[in-house]
């Protein structure tokens, strides 16, 4: 699956901000979005088994600093683009939530079975006409809106708006622990299974998306076609991982938050850690959080 679009002359205006706070989805609300465990996925035993496995996933109660992800959130037009950030449960905010009110966003990790029976994930390339992070690879997703019931609703709504993916085709099976950006934006990875890939005809929103493509999920825990970049933040060195991927004549680089979330998802799906050292930064907690507060 791969499709590109022509460029649009229209410009994207700033996205609407999130409400100051928004409650996490209740177990009852989430259970309505999780597919019936007995429901088959187009006859694929592997996808059925995977859906059952992921429904049983429980985020770790505590995460060691060595497991903190690297990301950055770009909030222009309400979209999520990456460089540096943290798994929220690894930050002091998880224990001091009354002092912080992070804004919320969600991304969709849409998995399907490829022709070679490998698990693949749907990705996008941002429009080259965008003023920031143009041409970078991202997961479908964005900020929550007032009418969204929960994170799964946000992620599937955004996927429909960005790439024309009908929410009815996606079986949401789990929601992973949120990622917290340096700028206190909470990003929730929503994992869904697309059992009938042939029913999905990508229709990219040309204002935002230049191409829709897919990549093998397992590549994000392999030490192949991977580069790392050492950076320093507040005296602490850390690594940013870049995955090079080629499909046909097109070449893509998947890095930052997008790569970090996919490393996490692949580790959960394949039930093993990545074959490389992540080396994440340390951070300090602000006494009070304001609109311009950052972790660091």
């Amino acid at each position: 699956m791969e499709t590109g679009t022509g460029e649009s002359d229209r410009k994207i205006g700033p996205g609407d901000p999130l409400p100051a706070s928004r409650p996490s989805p209740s177990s009852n609300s989430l259970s309505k979005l999780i597919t019936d465990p007995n429901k088959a996925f187009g006859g694929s035993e592997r996808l059925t088994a995977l859906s059952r496995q992921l429904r049983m996933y429980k985020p770790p109660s505590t995460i060691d600093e060595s497991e903190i992800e690297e990301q950055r959130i770009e909030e222009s037009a309400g979209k999520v683009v990456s460089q540096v950030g943290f798994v929220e449960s690894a930050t002091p905010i998880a224990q001091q939530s009354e002092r912080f009110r992070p804004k919320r966003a969600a991304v969709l990790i849409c998995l399907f079975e490829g022709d070679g029976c490998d698990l693949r994930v749907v990705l996008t390339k941002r429009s080259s006409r965008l003023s920031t992070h143009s041409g970078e690879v991202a997961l479908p997703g964005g900020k929550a809106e007032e009418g969204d019931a929960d994170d799964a609703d946000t992620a599937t709504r955004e996927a429909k708006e960005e790439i024309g993916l009908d929410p009815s085709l996606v079986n949401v099976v789990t929601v992973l622990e949120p990622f917290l950006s340096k700028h206190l934006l909470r990003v929730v990875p929503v994992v869904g299974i697309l059992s009938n890939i042939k029913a999905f005809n990508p229709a990219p929103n040309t204002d935002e998306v230049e191409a829709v493509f897919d990549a093998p999920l397992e590549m994000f825990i392999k030490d192949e076609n991977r580069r790392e970049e050492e950076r320093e933040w507040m005296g602490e060195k850390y690594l940013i991982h870049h995955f090079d991927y080629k499909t046909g004549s097109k070449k893509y680089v998947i890095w930052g938050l997008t790569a970090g979330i996919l490393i996490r998802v692949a580790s959960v799906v394949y039930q093993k850690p990545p074959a490389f050292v992540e080396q994440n930064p340390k951070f300090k907690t602000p006494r009070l959080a304001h609109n311009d507060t950052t972790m660091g």
Side-chain angles (χ1 to χ4, degrees):
M1 173 194 65
E2 183 177 2
T3 183
T5 70
E7 295 181 344
S8 170
D9 293 330
R10 289 182 294 167
K11 295 182 180 179
I12 301 177
D16 294 333
L18 283 172
S21 63
R22 181 168 173 264
S24 299
S26 67
S27 58
N28 289 335
S29 175
L30 184 59
S31 66
K32 294 177 182 178
L33 288 160
I34 301 299
T35 310
D36 184 336
N38 296 316
K39 183 176 180 179
F41 287 83
S44 170
E45 293 183 4
R46 182 181 189 185
L47 291 182
T48 301
L50 176 62
S51 68
R52 289 172 178 164
Q53 172 195 325
L54 292 178
R55 284 191 195 94
M56 298 180 69
Y57 173 76
K58 294 182 179 179
S61 56
T62 58
I63 299 180
D64 187 77
E65 285 185 347
S66 64
E67 295 179 298
I68 299 172
E69 301 293 345
E70 300 166 358
Q71 61 183 313
R72 174 186 165 195
I73 308 304
E74 190 248 355
E75 299 191 42
S76 177
K79 300 306 167 188
V80 182
V81 179
S82 61
Q83 192 174 27
V84 178
F86 316 96
V87 171
E88 184 176 312
S89 55
T91 72
I93 286 181
Q95 289 76 40
Q96 303 176 47
S97 59
E98 72 281 356
R99 290 168 51 192
F100 302 93
R101 291 289 186 268
K103 294 182 179 181
R104 201 173 189 94
V107 292
L108 179 66
I109 301 88
C110 185
L111 304 177
F112 67 94
E113 200 166 31
D115 293 337
C117 296
D118 58 333
L119 287 175
R120 305 186 70 84
V121 59
V122 176
L123 294 164
T124 71
K125 180 181 179 182
R126 285 166 58 84
S127 171
S128 59
R129 295 181 65 86
L130 294 176
S131 60
T132 57
H133 299 282
S134 60
E136 292 192 4
V137 173
L139 289 158
K143 286 185 180 181
E145 293 184 355
E146 194 75 35
D148 293 341
D150 44 35
D151 299 312
D153 202 22
T154 298
T156 54
R157 173 185 54 76
E158 286 283 344
K160 182 177 182 180
E161 293 175 3
E162 291 181 13
I163 62 175
L165 177 58
D166 188 338
S168 68
L169 296 176
V170 180
N171 296 288
V172 173
V173 291
T174 197
V175 174
L176 302 189
E177 61 267 34
F179 284 52
L180 188 70
S181 83
K182 180 179 178 180
H183 298 284
L184 304 184
L185 178 66
R186 176 180 290 146
V187 183
V188 179
V190 175
V191 182
I193 291 179
L194 178 60
S195 60
N196 186 5
I197 184 62
K198 293 181 179 180
F200 172 39
N201 298 309
N205 179 339
T206 56
D207 284 344
E208 304 175 11
V209 177
E210 185 172 298
V212 181
F213 69 101
D214 56 272
L217 179 65
E218 194 174 11
M219 70 177 279
F220 297 102
I221 54 173
K222 291 183 176 180
D223 196 11
E224 302 172 6
N225 302 315
R226 185 189 67 88
R227 297 173 286 118
E228 59 189 41
E229 174 187 354
E230 185 176 77
R231 294 192 182 184
E232 186 172 314
W233 183 35
M234 297 201 59
E236 296 290 338
K237 292 183 178 180
Y238 65 96
L239 298 177
I240 291 181
H241 302 279
H242 302 246
F243 293 88
D244 297 307
Y245 180 63
K246 182 178 181 180
T247 174
S249 61
K250 303 291 182 64
K251 295 181 179 180
Y252 300 99
V253 179
I254 305 161
W255 69 294
L257 171 62
T258 302
I261 288 179
L262 291 173
I263 289 170
R264 175 71 68 192
V265 173
S267 297
V268 170
V269 167
Y270 292 100
Q271 300 182 311
K272 60 182 179 181
F276 49 84
V277 176
E278 293 184 68
Q279 189 176 334
N280 303 284
K282 297 178 182 179
F283 53 88
K284 299 177 183 178
T285 312
R287 288 180 176 273
L288 295 172
H290 304 288
N291 290 336
D292 57 351
T293 299
T294 62
M295 298 296 288

